[in-house]
Amino acid sequence: MATSSSAPKTVTLRSSDGEEFVVQADTFAAASVLVRNMLEDDCAGGAIPLPQVTGRILARVIDYCDRHYADADAATYVAEPFSSGDPGLERFDTDFIGGIDYDTLIDLILAANYLEVQRLLDLACKTVADQMRGKTVEEMRAHFKIANDYTPEEEAEVRSENPWAFE
């Protein structure tokens, strides 16, 4: 199973819905702790199954990883979680995360966590935090579609015990 030194090694990733993606092994291993460990432990015979990530989300994760980790100096991008120092990458991040709906954002968080792509996880979680900033409890419930399961009495008690949270 010798590979040519001029041809980069690839690995196939299989999503939960059976889609397969051929990616550069070094690039994706630099981004994903899970994939790196599987490659290092020689567990990547054939395709690496990713049962917790759909093809639609995996395609987005691969796009992100290709932009952030394909460069040989990728380690410099990882040093600072929210600023790469590269305006092109920062613009890519803004476009990448800015135009997605809430459900896709949550799926990206789950996939980044499962794959252990820390920079993407940080970016997606920061986006959720930014969506929460400055909102009242009621606005957050509406935005994140969270049902209020407190009785009026229970809610009054929580508000009186934690008035700082409702300012």
Side-chain angles (χ1 to χ4, degrees):
M1 189 153 102
T3 58
S4 166
S5 61
S6 64
K9 182 180 175 191
T10 60
V11 64
T12 302
L13 306 176
R14 183 179 304 124
S15 68
S16 62
D17 49 2
E19 283 189 69
E20 292 190 351
F21 299 86
V22 177
V23 298
Q24 299 296 320
D26 291 344
T27 299
F28 213 79
S32 169
V33 174
L34 176 80
V35 171
R36 178 173 52 246
N37 289 343
M38 292 184 83
L39 290 171
E40 287 173 356
D41 294 342
D42 205 24
C43 298
I48 296 176
L50 302 172
Q52 295 186 25
V53 185
T54 65
R56 180 177 70 88
I57 297 300
L58 185 55
R60 292 191 66 99
V61 173
I62 291 168
D63 184 32
Y64 180 88
C65 293
D66 283 346
R67 289 298 299 261
H68 278 271
Y69 295 90
D71 187 323
D73 295 325
T76 61
Y77 300 142
V78 179
E80 177 61 39
F82 302 117
S83 175
S84 67
D86 180 340
L89 272 181
E90 290 177 11
R91 187 172 33 263
F92 171 80
D93 286 353
T94 300
D95 294 343
F96 179 84
I97 208 83
I100 61 174
D101 60 81
Y102 175 73
D103 291 334
T104 301
L105 179 59
I106 296 304
D107 288 342
L108 272 175
I109 289 172
L110 293 172
N113 185 55
Y114 174 69
L115 294 166
E116 298 180 73
V117 180
Q118 191 62 50
R119 186 168 170 81
L120 176 56
L121 181 60
D122 290 345
L123 177 66
C125 287
K126 179 183 180 296
T127 301
V128 171
D130 289 345
Q131 291 175 354
M132 294 172 64
R133 187 170 289 118
K135 286 190 166 62
T136 65
V137 171
E138 291 79 15
E139 290 169 333
M140 282 191 269
R141 282 184 185 139
H143 180 80
F144 295 112
K145 302 173 187 146
I146 300 170
N148 182 1
D149 57 354
Y150 285 114
T151 65
E153 296 79 22
E154 290 171 329
E155 187 167 349
E157 182 180 342
V158 169
R159 286 179 182 271
S160 69
E161 291 174 357
N162 305 287
W164 56 268
F166 298 93
E167 293 174 350

